[in-house]
């Protein structure tokens, strides 16, 4: 994958990611329902459980038609005479206002209805109505518009206010919002809970652009005057009095109602509505409504207005862009850690904010950022894999132009030998005698095949003896031992390689039928200090070994030619090899066929050298190999 193509793909994915995050953010700001809400409810429940139960306000009390009451009455639903006595008992206990969460639909006995109407009129009261909504609106967070209403009997609605008791649940059936405004046939109408608060405070709340004004305090709400519920705990977290205890003239029950807002509802088993909540799987509907009313009175409504939603949107887009940026510019491991820290930071902020009754959307940044970040990570991984493949291929190619050990060293350390260094090295030079005549006879193509076979043999023998082929020069080669790092066995390895090379090349010449043209091989070897450095232009360099040691090793091939020898090794090399070995190689180096002091072209001092013909070197090689 070319860098330009990769850059275009990255830009395309980042643009798509920004559009994706922006679309989710816009949808969230607009309050449109989506599958994302399911993840958010799970994370919201976790925050609720982390925060734990809290104390409910004392202003709200539930009078419950519970199991004890139904058992005492002997029937359900209870009769209106019973409800009349119950309402009168609540009034006599000093309740400041009453909210009846029971659908009083249709007429019953005329006297009973009249008695209940009179009781309801005896204190500030709101009674429940139910709305029937289109299925397509059931899960949406919008201003509810009921298709039809189940309203109380006219005699009751004439003496008490009427409000819808519908709540908005999530996909799991947990109430999350209570609509405070309904769009009815008569226009916008306040909810049951909003009316109950107005009855209790003596002044109805007024609607503002983003919330409602309660007793001089503006309570922010979610979009379209939806009230997010902030639960207090399990069932019973809001003070609950048994209706039967009140009718039994319980002093404690009556005392609990004085000056308070009373919600009358049903909690008896298997009757009435039930909802699942984070704290309780079967919370009665009257307690859900009581939670909403209590939130309005104590000001603990979860804050999730347009400003909070905007904060959610900014966080989602920012985390998405930052997550994509770190994936592009940082190593993938580091980018993953940074991205996860961004998400963890937002989740932590959401938990801290929830403890302050602020509902930040924990799921939005996750949903907005995960798809584009993963897409970029996959693209980056693919590009890195392709680049590694290219690097491996480049290293393999480099190793064909440089000795493999040098290529690996350069790849691992690009600054290798930027500063030249001097170290002791053993150097061998080898070439073929008669190659010029052979190349003229064979022509370029076949000559190349011969050279390739010869060079392969040289590389194999050098590698087997821990040597590096530093350079090929036509029919010749330069081999170094102790490059790039010197070792105690460098001189021994060089001498062993010299015998192996002469023997192997001799065998190859005979086996290839080239002995008619290539008469013999010449090899020279020396041991001494060399300078390892980078030679060449700044943009085209090679690793080179230079110094007197290299020059002498090269000139020793001339000495061999002049004295009829195939292999000439300096005493500096043989002495260093003998000091490092204790096997038969030491004996071979100690008693060479000839030992002479020779003049070296370009040097003033003579040099002591050991000389072997090809046959002598082959015989010595056989003995050395048999011993090893």
């Amino acid at each position: 994958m070319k860098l330009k193509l990769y850059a275009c793909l990255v830009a395309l994915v980042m643009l798509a990611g920004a559009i994706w995050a922006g679309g989710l953010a816009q949808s969230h700001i607009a309050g449109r329902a989506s599958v994302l809400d399911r993840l958010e409810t799970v994370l919201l429940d976790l925050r609720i459980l982390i925060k734990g139960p809290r104390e409910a306000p004392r202003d709200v009390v539930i009078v419950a038609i519970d199991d004890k009451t139904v058992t005492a009455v002997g029937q359900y639903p209870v009769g209106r005479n019973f409800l009349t006595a119950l309402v009168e008992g609540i009034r006599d206990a000093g309740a400041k206002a009453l909210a009846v969460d029971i659908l009083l639909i249709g007429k019953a006995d005329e006297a009973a209805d009249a008695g209940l109407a009179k009781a309801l009129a005896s204190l500030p009261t709101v009674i429940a109505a139910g709305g029937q909504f289109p299925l397509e609106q059931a899960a949406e967070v919008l201003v509810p518009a009921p298709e039809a209403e189940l309203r109380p009997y006219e005699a009751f609605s004439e003496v008490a206010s009427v409000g819808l008791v519908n709540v908005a649940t999530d996909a799991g059936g947990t109430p999350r919002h209570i609509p405070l405004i309904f769009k009815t046939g008569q226009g916008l109408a306040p909810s049951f809970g909003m009316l109950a608060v107005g009855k209790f405070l003596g002044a109805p709340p007024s609607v503002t652009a983003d919330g409602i004004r309660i007793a001089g305090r503006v309570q922010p709400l979610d979009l379209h005057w939806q009230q997010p519920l902030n639960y207090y705990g399990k069932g019973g977290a809001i003070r609950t009095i048994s209706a039967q205890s009140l009718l039994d003239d319980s002093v404690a029950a009556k005392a609990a109602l004085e000056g308070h807002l009373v919600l009358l509802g049903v909690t008896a088993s298997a009757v009435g509505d039930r909802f699942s909540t984070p704290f309780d799987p079967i919370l009665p509907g009257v307690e859900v409504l009581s939670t909403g009313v209590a939130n309005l009175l104590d000001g603990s409504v979860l804050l999730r207005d347009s400003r909070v939603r905007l904060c959610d949107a900014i966080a989602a887009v920012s985390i998405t862009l930052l997550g994509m940026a770190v994936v592009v510019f940082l190593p993938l491991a580091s980018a993953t850690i940074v991205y996860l820290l961004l998400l963890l930071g937002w989740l932590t902020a959401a938990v801290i904010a929830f403890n302050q009754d602020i509902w930040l959307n924990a799921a939005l940044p996750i949903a907005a950022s995960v798809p584009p970040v993963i897409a970029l990570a996959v693209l980056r991984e693919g590009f890195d894999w392709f680049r590694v493949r290219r690097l491996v291929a480049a290293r393999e190619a480099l190793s064909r132009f440089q000795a493999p050990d040098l290529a690996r060293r350069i790849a691992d350390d690009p600054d290798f030998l930027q500063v030249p260094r001097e170290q002791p090295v053993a150097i061998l030079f080898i070439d073929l005698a008669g190659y010029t005549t052979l190349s003229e006879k064979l022509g370029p193509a076949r000559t190349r095949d011969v050279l390739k076979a010869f060079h392969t043999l040289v590389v194999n023998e050098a590698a087997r003896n821990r040597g590096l082929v530093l350079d090929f020069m036509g029919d010749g080669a330069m081999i170094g031992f102790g490059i790039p790092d010197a070792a105690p066995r460098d001189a021994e390895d060089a001498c062993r390689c010299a015998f192996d090379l002469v023997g192997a090349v001799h065998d190859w010449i005979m086996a290839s039928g080239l002995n008619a043209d290539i008469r013999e091989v010449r090899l020279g070897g020396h041991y001494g200090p060399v300078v390892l450095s980078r030679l060449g232009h700044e943009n085209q360099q090679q690793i080179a070994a230079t110094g007197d040691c290299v020059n002498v090793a090269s000139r020793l091939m001339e000495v061999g030619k002049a004295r009829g020898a195939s292999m000439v090794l300096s005493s500096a090399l043989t002495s260093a090899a003998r000091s490092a070995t204790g096997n038969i190689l030491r004996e071979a180096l100690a008693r060479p066929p000839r030992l002479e002091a020779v003049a070296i072209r370009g040097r003033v001092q003579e040099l002591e050298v050991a000389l072997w013909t090809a046959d002598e070197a082959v015989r010595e090689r056989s003995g050395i190999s048999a011993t090893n």
Side-chain angles (χ1 to χ4, degrees), residues 45 48-54 230-235 276-282:
D45 285 346
I48 291 173
L49 295 176
I50 290 172
K51 183 177 181 180
R54 58 198 182 90
N230 193 357
Y231 288 97
Y232 294 99
K234 293 184 177 181
S276 172
T277 70
F279 290 112
D280 200 322
I282 48 171

mmCIF file with all atom_site columns, all heavy atoms in Angstrom, residues 45 48-54 230-235 276-282:
data_model
loop_
_atom_site.group_PDB
_atom_site.id
_atom_site.type_symbol
_atom_site.label_atom_id
_atom_site.label_alt_id
_atom_site.label_comp_id
_atom_site.label_asym_id
_atom_site.label_entity_id
_atom_site.label_seq_id
_atom_site.pdbx_PDB_ins_code
_atom_site.Cartn_x
_atom_site.Cartn_y
_atom_site.Cartn_z
_atom_site.occupancy
_atom_site.B_iso_or_equiv
_atom_site.pdbx_formal_charge
_atom_site.auth_seq_id
_atom_site.auth_comp_id
_atom_site.auth_asym_id
_atom_site.auth_atom_id
_atom_site.pdbx_PDB_model_num
ATOM 1   N N   . ASP A 1 45  ? -28.181 2.744  34.837 1.00 0.00 ? 45  ASP A N   1
ATOM 2   C CA  . ASP A 1 45  ? -28.497 1.910  36.001 1.00 0.00 ? 45  ASP A CA  1
ATOM 3   C C   . ASP A 1 45  ? -27.240 1.642  36.837 1.00 0.00 ? 45  ASP A C   1
ATOM 4   O O   . ASP A 1 45  ? -27.303 1.612  38.073 1.00 0.00 ? 45  ASP A O   1
ATOM 5   C CB  . ASP A 1 45  ? -29.111 0.584  35.555 1.00 0.00 ? 45  ASP A CB  1
ATOM 6   C CG  . ASP A 1 45  ? -30.556 0.748  35.098 1.00 0.00 ? 45  ASP A CG  1
ATOM 7   O OD1 . ASP A 1 45  ? -31.145 1.804  35.375 1.00 0.00 ? 45  ASP A OD1 1
ATOM 8   O OD2 . ASP A 1 45  ? -31.089 -0.189 34.480 1.00 0.00 ? 45  ASP A OD2 1
ATOM 9   N N   . ILE A 1 48  ? -26.689 4.650  38.888 1.00 0.00 ? 48  ILE A N   1
ATOM 10  C CA  . ILE A 1 48  ? -27.670 4.724  39.972 1.00 0.00 ? 48  ILE A CA  1
ATOM 11  C C   . ILE A 1 48  ? -27.267 3.802  41.116 1.00 0.00 ? 48  ILE A C   1
ATOM 12  O O   . ILE A 1 48  ? -27.320 4.185  42.298 1.00 0.00 ? 48  ILE A O   1
ATOM 13  C CB  . ILE A 1 48  ? -29.068 4.353  39.432 1.00 0.00 ? 48  ILE A CB  1
ATOM 14  C CG1 . ILE A 1 48  ? -29.565 5.442  38.476 1.00 0.00 ? 48  ILE A CG1 1
ATOM 15  C CG2 . ILE A 1 48  ? -30.054 4.169  40.576 1.00 0.00 ? 48  ILE A CG2 1
ATOM 16  C CD1 . ILE A 1 48  ? -30.853 5.090  37.760 1.00 0.00 ? 48  ILE A CD1 1
ATOM 17  N N   . LEU A 1 49  ? -26.818 2.592  40.764 1.00 0.00 ? 49  LEU A N   1
ATOM 18  C CA  . LEU A 1 49  ? -26.415 1.642  41.803 1.00 0.00 ? 49  LEU A CA  1
ATOM 19  C C   . LEU A 1 49  ? -25.137 2.094  42.500 1.00 0.00 ? 49  LEU A C   1
ATOM 20  O O   . LEU A 1 49  ? -24.951 1.867  43.699 1.00 0.00 ? 49  LEU A O   1
ATOM 21  C CB  . LEU A 1 49  ? -26.237 0.256  41.188 1.00 0.00 ? 49  LEU A CB  1
ATOM 22  C CG  . LEU A 1 49  ? -27.522 -0.380 40.633 1.00 0.00 ? 49  LEU A CG  1
ATOM 23  C CD1 . LEU A 1 49  ? -27.210 -1.717 39.957 1.00 0.00 ? 49  LEU A CD1 1
ATOM 24  C CD2 . LEU A 1 49  ? -28.553 -0.562 41.745 1.00 0.00 ? 49  LEU A CD2 1
ATOM 25  N N   . ILE A 1 50  ? -24.212 2.705  41.739 1.00 0.00 ? 50  ILE A N   1
ATOM 26  C CA  . ILE A 1 50  ? -22.985 3.228  42.358 1.00 0.00 ? 50  ILE A CA  1
ATOM 27  C C   . ILE A 1 50  ? -23.324 4.332  43.359 1.00 0.00 ? 50  ILE A C   1
ATOM 28  O O   . ILE A 1 50  ? -22.783 4.384  44.461 1.00 0.00 ? 50  ILE A O   1
ATOM 29  C CB  . ILE A 1 50  ? -22.019 3.749  41.268 1.00 0.00 ? 50  ILE A CB  1
ATOM 30  C CG1 . ILE A 1 50  ? -21.446 2.577  40.456 1.00 0.00 ? 50  ILE A CG1 1
ATOM 31  C CG2 . ILE A 1 50  ? -20.884 4.559  41.897 1.00 0.00 ? 50  ILE A CG2 1
ATOM 32  C CD1 . ILE A 1 50  ? -20.639 3.017  39.253 1.00 0.00 ? 50  ILE A CD1 1
ATOM 33  N N   . LYS A 1 51  ? -24.239 5.206  42.969 1.00 0.00 ? 51  LYS A N   1
ATOM 34  C CA  . LYS A 1 51  ? -24.644 6.291  43.863 1.00 0.00 ? 51  LYS A CA  1
ATOM 35  C C   . LYS A 1 51  ? -25.382 5.760  45.081 1.00 0.00 ? 51  LYS A C   1
ATOM 36  O O   . LYS A 1 51  ? -25.212 6.246  46.205 1.00 0.00 ? 51  LYS A O   1
ATOM 37  C CB  . LYS A 1 51  ? -25.518 7.280  43.098 1.00 0.00 ? 51  LYS A CB  1
ATOM 38  C CG  . LYS A 1 51  ? -25.931 8.503  43.914 1.00 0.00 ? 51  LYS A CG  1
ATOM 39  C CD  . LYS A 1 51  ? -26.743 9.463  43.053 1.00 0.00 ? 51  LYS A CD  1
ATOM 40  C CE  . LYS A 1 51  ? -27.141 10.707 43.853 1.00 0.00 ? 51  LYS A CE  1
ATOM 41  N NZ  . LYS A 1 51  ? -27.926 11.647 43.018 1.00 0.00 ? 51  LYS A NZ  1
ATOM 42  N N   . GLY A 1 52  ? -26.216 4.730  44.857 1.00 0.00 ? 52  GLY A N   1
ATOM 43  C CA  . GLY A 1 52  ? -26.925 4.100  45.969 1.00 0.00 ? 52  GLY A CA  1
ATOM 44  C C   . GLY A 1 52  ? -28.184 4.836  46.380 1.00 0.00 ? 52  GLY A C   1
ATOM 45  O O   . GLY A 1 52  ? -28.502 5.918  45.877 1.00 0.00 ? 52  GLY A O   1
ATOM 46  N N   . PRO A 1 53  ? -28.932 4.252  47.316 1.00 0.00 ? 53  PRO A N   1
ATOM 47  C CA  . PRO A 1 53  ? -30.178 4.868  47.789 1.00 0.00 ? 53  PRO A CA  1
ATOM 48  C C   . PRO A 1 53  ? -29.911 6.200  48.486 1.00 0.00 ? 53  PRO A C   1
ATOM 49  O O   . PRO A 1 53  ? -28.814 6.461  48.965 1.00 0.00 ? 53  PRO A O   1
ATOM 50  C CB  . PRO A 1 53  ? -30.733 3.830  48.773 1.00 0.00 ? 53  PRO A CB  1
ATOM 51  C CG  . PRO A 1 53  ? -30.008 2.559  48.466 1.00 0.00 ? 53  PRO A CG  1
ATOM 52  C CD  . PRO A 1 53  ? -28.667 2.964  47.963 1.00 0.00 ? 53  PRO A CD  1
ATOM 53  N N   . ARG A 1 54  ? -30.935 7.027  48.510 1.00 0.00 ? 54  ARG A N   1
ATOM 54  C CA  . ARG A 1 54  ? -30.839 8.309  49.202 1.00 0.00 ? 54  ARG A CA  1
ATOM 55  C C   . ARG A 1 54  ? -32.186 8.596  49.878 1.00 0.00 ? 54  ARG A C   1
ATOM 56  O O   . ARG A 1 54  ? -33.205 7.954  49.572 1.00 0.00 ? 54  ARG A O   1
ATOM 57  C CB  . ARG A 1 54  ? -30.467 9.435  48.233 1.00 0.00 ? 54  ARG A CB  1
ATOM 58  C CG  . ARG A 1 54  ? -31.441 9.611  47.096 1.00 0.00 ? 54  ARG A CG  1
ATOM 59  C CD  . ARG A 1 54  ? -30.838 10.413 45.941 1.00 0.00 ? 54  ARG A CD  1
ATOM 60  N NE  . ARG A 1 54  ? -31.817 10.605 44.874 1.00 0.00 ? 54  ARG A NE  1
ATOM 61  C CZ  . ARG A 1 54  ? -32.654 11.625 44.787 1.00 0.00 ? 54  ARG A CZ  1
ATOM 62  N NH1 . ARG A 1 54  ? -32.621 12.599 45.716 1.00 0.00 ? 54  ARG A NH1 1
ATOM 63  N NH2 . ARG A 1 54  ? -33.507 11.733 43.803 1.00 0.00 ? 54  ARG A NH2 1
ATOM 64  N N   . ASN A 1 230 ? -35.289 10.534 39.137 1.00 0.00 ? 230 ASN A N   1
ATOM 65  C CA  . ASN A 1 230 ? -34.123 10.293 39.989 1.00 0.00 ? 230 ASN A CA  1
ATOM 66  C C   . ASN A 1 230 ? -34.596 9.463  41.189 1.00 0.00 ? 230 ASN A C   1
ATOM 67  O O   . ASN A 1 230 ? -35.149 9.985  42.140 1.00 0.00 ? 230 ASN A O   1
ATOM 68  C CB  . ASN A 1 230 ? -33.531 11.633 40.449 1.00 0.00 ? 230 ASN A CB  1
ATOM 69  C CG  . ASN A 1 230 ? -32.144 11.464 41.069 1.00 0.00 ? 230 ASN A CG  1
ATOM 70  O OD1 . ASN A 1 230 ? -31.647 10.348 41.203 1.00 0.00 ? 230 ASN A OD1 1
ATOM 71  N ND2 . ASN A 1 230 ? -31.539 12.566 41.460 1.00 0.00 ? 230 ASN A ND2 1
ATOM 72  N N   . TYR A 1 231 ? -34.398 8.144  41.095 1.00 0.00 ? 231 TYR A N   1
ATOM 73  C CA  . TYR A 1 231 ? -34.972 7.233  42.089 1.00 0.00 ? 231 TYR A CA  1
ATOM 74  C C   . TYR A 1 231 ? -34.289 7.376  43.454 1.00 0.00 ? 231 TYR A C   1
ATOM 75  O O   . TYR A 1 231 ? -33.091 7.670  43.551 1.00 0.00 ? 231 TYR A O   1
ATOM 76  C CB  . TYR A 1 231 ? -34.869 5.792  41.604 1.00 0.00 ? 231 TYR A CB  1
ATOM 77  C CG  . TYR A 1 231 ? -35.814 5.479  40.472 1.00 0.00 ? 231 TYR A CG  1
ATOM 78  C CD1 . TYR A 1 231 ? -35.380 5.510  39.141 1.00 0.00 ? 231 TYR A CD1 1
ATOM 79  C CD2 . TYR A 1 231 ? -37.139 5.190  40.706 1.00 0.00 ? 231 TYR A CD2 1
ATOM 80  C CE1 . TYR A 1 231 ? -36.255 5.240  38.093 1.00 0.00 ? 231 TYR A CE1 1
ATOM 81  C CE2 . TYR A 1 231 ? -38.033 4.917  39.666 1.00 0.00 ? 231 TYR A CE2 1
ATOM 82  C CZ  . TYR A 1 231 ? -37.581 4.940  38.376 1.00 0.00 ? 231 TYR A CZ  1
ATOM 83  O OH  . TYR A 1 231 ? -38.452 4.694  37.345 1.00 0.00 ? 231 TYR A OH  1
ATOM 84  N N   . TYR A 1 232 ? -35.093 7.114  44.497 1.00 0.00 ? 232 TYR A N   1
ATOM 85  C CA  . TYR A 1 232 ? -34.586 7.207  45.876 1.00 0.00 ? 232 TYR A CA  1
ATOM 86  C C   . TYR A 1 232 ? -34.107 5.861  46.410 1.00 0.00 ? 232 TYR A C   1
ATOM 87  O O   . TYR A 1 232 ? -33.256 5.813  47.299 1.00 0.00 ? 232 TYR A O   1
ATOM 88  C CB  . TYR A 1 232 ? -35.689 7.752  46.801 1.00 0.00 ? 232 TYR A CB  1
ATOM 89  C CG  . TYR A 1 232 ? -36.063 9.176  46.495 1.00 0.00 ? 232 TYR A CG  1
ATOM 90  C CD1 . TYR A 1 232 ? -37.190 9.471  45.722 1.00 0.00 ? 232 TYR A CD1 1
ATOM 91  C CD2 . TYR A 1 232 ? -35.285 10.230 46.946 1.00 0.00 ? 232 TYR A CD2 1
ATOM 92  C CE1 . TYR A 1 232 ? -37.531 10.778 45.424 1.00 0.00 ? 232 TYR A CE1 1
ATOM 93  C CE2 . TYR A 1 232 ? -35.613 11.558 46.652 1.00 0.00 ? 232 TYR A CE2 1
ATOM 94  C CZ  . TYR A 1 232 ? -36.748 11.818 45.884 1.00 0.00 ? 232 TYR A CZ  1
ATOM 95  O OH  . TYR A 1 232 ? -37.068 13.114 45.600 1.00 0.00 ? 232 TYR A OH  1
ATOM 96  N N   . GLY A 1 233 ? -34.642 4.784  45.911 1.00 0.00 ? 233 GLY A N   1
ATOM 97  C CA  . GLY A 1 233 ? -34.255 3.473  46.414 1.00 0.00 ? 233 GLY A CA  1
ATOM 98  C C   . GLY A 1 233 ? -35.322 2.447  46.113 1.00 0.00 ? 233 GLY A C   1
ATOM 99  O O   . GLY A 1 233 ? -36.135 2.594  45.197 1.00 0.00 ? 233 GLY A O   1
ATOM 100 N N   . LYS A 1 234 ? -35.353 1.375  46.900 1.00 0.00 ? 234 LYS A N   1
ATOM 101 C CA  . LYS A 1 234 ? -36.328 0.305  46.719 1.00 0.00 ? 234 LYS A CA  1
ATOM 102 C C   . LYS A 1 234 ? -37.717 0.783  47.130 1.00 0.00 ? 234 LYS A C   1
ATOM 103 O O   . LYS A 1 234 ? -37.891 1.878  47.668 1.00 0.00 ? 234 LYS A O   1
ATOM 104 C CB  . LYS A 1 234 ? -35.929 -0.911 47.542 1.00 0.00 ? 234 LYS A CB  1
ATOM 105 C CG  . LYS A 1 234 ? -34.660 -1.601 47.070 1.00 0.00 ? 234 LYS A CG  1
ATOM 106 C CD  . LYS A 1 234 ? -34.388 -2.856 47.883 1.00 0.00 ? 234 LYS A CD  1
ATOM 107 C CE  . LYS A 1 234 ? -33.158 -3.591 47.351 1.00 0.00 ? 234 LYS A CE  1
ATOM 108 N NZ  . LYS A 1 234 ? -32.898 -4.828 48.137 1.00 0.00 ? 234 LYS A NZ  1
ATOM 109 N N   . GLY A 1 235 ? -38.713 -0.114 46.881 1.00 0.00 ? 235 GLY A N   1
ATOM 110 C CA  . GLY A 1 235 ? -40.074 0.189  47.302 1.00 0.00 ? 235 GLY A CA  1
ATOM 111 C C   . GLY A 1 235 ? -40.119 0.512  48.786 1.00 0.00 ? 235 GLY A C   1
ATOM 112 O O   . GLY A 1 235 ? -39.491 -0.158 49.604 1.00 0.00 ? 235 GLY A O   1
ATOM 113 N N   . SER A 1 276 ? -40.403 -2.068 36.542 1.00 0.00 ? 276 SER A N   1
ATOM 114 C CA  . SER A 1 276 ? -39.044 -2.443 36.934 1.00 0.00 ? 276 SER A CA  1
ATOM 115 C C   . SER A 1 276 ? -38.200 -1.180 37.052 1.00 0.00 ? 276 SER A C   1
ATOM 116 O O   . SER A 1 276 ? -38.265 -0.291 36.194 1.00 0.00 ? 276 SER A O   1
ATOM 117 C CB  . SER A 1 276 ? -38.434 -3.373 35.883 1.00 0.00 ? 276 SER A CB  1
ATOM 118 O OG  . SER A 1 276 ? -37.068 -3.588 36.143 1.00 0.00 ? 276 SER A OG  1
ATOM 119 N N   . THR A 1 277 ? -37.427 -1.081 38.135 1.00 0.00 ? 277 THR A N   1
ATOM 120 C CA  . THR A 1 277 ? -36.549 0.070  38.345 1.00 0.00 ? 277 THR A CA  1
ATOM 121 C C   . THR A 1 277 ? -35.159 -0.433 38.717 1.00 0.00 ? 277 THR A C   1
ATOM 122 O O   . THR A 1 277 ? -34.989 -1.618 39.020 1.00 0.00 ? 277 THR A O   1
ATOM 123 C CB  . THR A 1 277 ? -37.085 0.981  39.465 1.00 0.00 ? 277 THR A CB  1
ATOM 124 O OG1 . THR A 1 277 ? -36.942 0.311  40.721 1.00 0.00 ? 277 THR A OG1 1
ATOM 125 C CG2 . THR A 1 277 ? -38.545 1.339  39.241 1.00 0.00 ? 277 THR A CG2 1
ATOM 126 N N   . PRO A 1 278 ? -34.144 0.434  38.701 1.00 0.00 ? 278 PRO A N   1
ATOM 127 C CA  . PRO A 1 278 ? -32.795 -0.025 39.040 1.00 0.00 ? 278 PRO A CA  1
ATOM 128 C C   . PRO A 1 278 ? -32.696 -0.639 40.436 1.00 0.00 ? 278 PRO A C   1
ATOM 129 O O   . PRO A 1 278 ? -31.867 -1.522 40.666 1.00 0.00 ? 278 PRO A O   1
ATOM 130 C CB  . PRO A 1 278 ? -31.961 1.255  38.940 1.00 0.00 ? 278 PRO A CB  1
ATOM 131 C CG  . PRO A 1 278 ? -32.712 2.124  37.990 1.00 0.00 ? 278 PRO A CG  1
ATOM 132 C CD  . PRO A 1 278 ? -34.149 1.834  38.238 1.00 0.00 ? 278 PRO A CD  1
ATOM 133 N N   . PHE A 1 279 ? -33.515 -0.168 41.381 1.00 0.00 ? 279 PHE A N   1
ATOM 134 C CA  . PHE A 1 279 ? -33.443 -0.669 42.749 1.00 0.00 ? 279 PHE A CA  1
ATOM 135 C C   . PHE A 1 279 ? -34.426 -1.803 43.030 1.00 0.00 ? 279 PHE A C   1
ATOM 136 O O   . PHE A 1 279 ? -34.206 -2.592 43.945 1.00 0.00 ? 279 PHE A O   1
ATOM 137 C CB  . PHE A 1 279 ? -33.719 0.465  43.754 1.00 0.00 ? 279 PHE A CB  1
ATOM 138 C CG  . PHE A 1 279 ? -32.622 1.498  43.822 1.00 0.00 ? 279 PHE A CG  1
ATOM 139 C CD1 . PHE A 1 279 ? -32.842 2.785  43.374 1.00 0.00 ? 279 PHE A CD1 1
ATOM 140 C CD2 . PHE A 1 279 ? -31.385 1.181  44.337 1.00 0.00 ? 279 PHE A CD2 1
ATOM 141 C CE1 . PHE A 1 279 ? -31.847 3.746  43.445 1.00 0.00 ? 279 PHE A CE1 1
ATOM 142 C CE2 . PHE A 1 279 ? -30.385 2.129  44.415 1.00 0.00 ? 279 PHE A CE2 1
ATOM 143 C CZ  . PHE A 1 279 ? -30.608 3.425  43.969 1.00 0.00 ? 279 PHE A CZ  1
ATOM 144 N N   . ASP A 1 280 ? -35.512 -1.856 42.275 1.00 0.00 ? 280 ASP A N   1
ATOM 145 C CA  . ASP A 1 280 ? -36.593 -2.767 42.621 1.00 0.00 ? 280 ASP A CA  1
ATOM 146 C C   . ASP A 1 280 ? -37.263 -3.266 41.339 1.00 0.00 ? 280 ASP A C   1
ATOM 147 O O   . ASP A 1 280 ? -37.678 -2.454 40.513 1.00 0.00 ? 280 ASP A O   1
ATOM 148 C CB  . ASP A 1 280 ? -37.625 -2.038 43.497 1.00 0.00 ? 280 ASP A CB  1
ATOM 149 C CG  . ASP A 1 280 ? -38.493 -2.991 44.285 1.00 0.00 ? 280 ASP A CG  1
ATOM 150 O OD1 . ASP A 1 280 ? -38.848 -4.041 43.736 1.00 0.00 ? 280 ASP A OD1 1
ATOM 151 O OD2 . ASP A 1 280 ? -38.818 -2.680 45.443 1.00 0.00 ? 280 ASP A OD2 1
ATOM 152 N N   . PRO A 1 281 ? -37.403 -4.587 41.157 1.00 0.00 ? 281 PRO A N   1
ATOM 153 C CA  . PRO A 1 281 ? -38.006 -5.097 39.912 1.00 0.00 ? 281 PRO A CA  1
ATOM 154 C C   . PRO A 1 281 ? -39.511 -4.930 39.844 1.00 0.00 ? 281 PRO A C   1
ATOM 155 O O   . PRO A 1 281 ? -40.092 -5.094 38.770 1.00 0.00 ? 281 PRO A O   1
ATOM 156 C CB  . PRO A 1 281 ? -37.614 -6.583 39.929 1.00 0.00 ? 281 PRO A CB  1
ATOM 157 C CG  . PRO A 1 281 ? -37.441 -6.913 41.376 1.00 0.00 ? 281 PRO A CG  1
ATOM 158 C CD  . PRO A 1 281 ? -36.896 -5.673 42.015 1.00 0.00 ? 281 PRO A CD  1
ATOM 159 N N   . ILE A 1 282 ? -40.185 -4.628 40.979 1.00 0.00 ? 282 ILE A N   1
ATOM 160 C CA  . ILE A 1 282 ? -41.660 -4.517 40.965 1.00 0.00 ? 282 ILE A CA  1
ATOM 161 C C   . ILE A 1 282 ? -42.100 -3.300 41.781 1.00 0.00 ? 282 ILE A C   1
ATOM 162 O O   . ILE A 1 282 ? -42.780 -3.431 42.794 1.00 0.00 ? 282 ILE A O   1
ATOM 163 C CB  . ILE A 1 282 ? -42.331 -5.799 41.498 1.00 0.00 ? 282 ILE A CB  1
ATOM 164 C CG1 . ILE A 1 282 ? -41.693 -6.260 42.820 1.00 0.00 ? 282 ILE A CG1 1
ATOM 165 C CG2 . ILE A 1 282 ? -42.254 -6.925 40.481 1.00 0.00 ? 282 ILE A CG2 1
ATOM 166 C CD1 . ILE A 1 282 ? -42.438 -7.386 43.512 1.00 0.00 ? 282 ILE A CD1 1
#
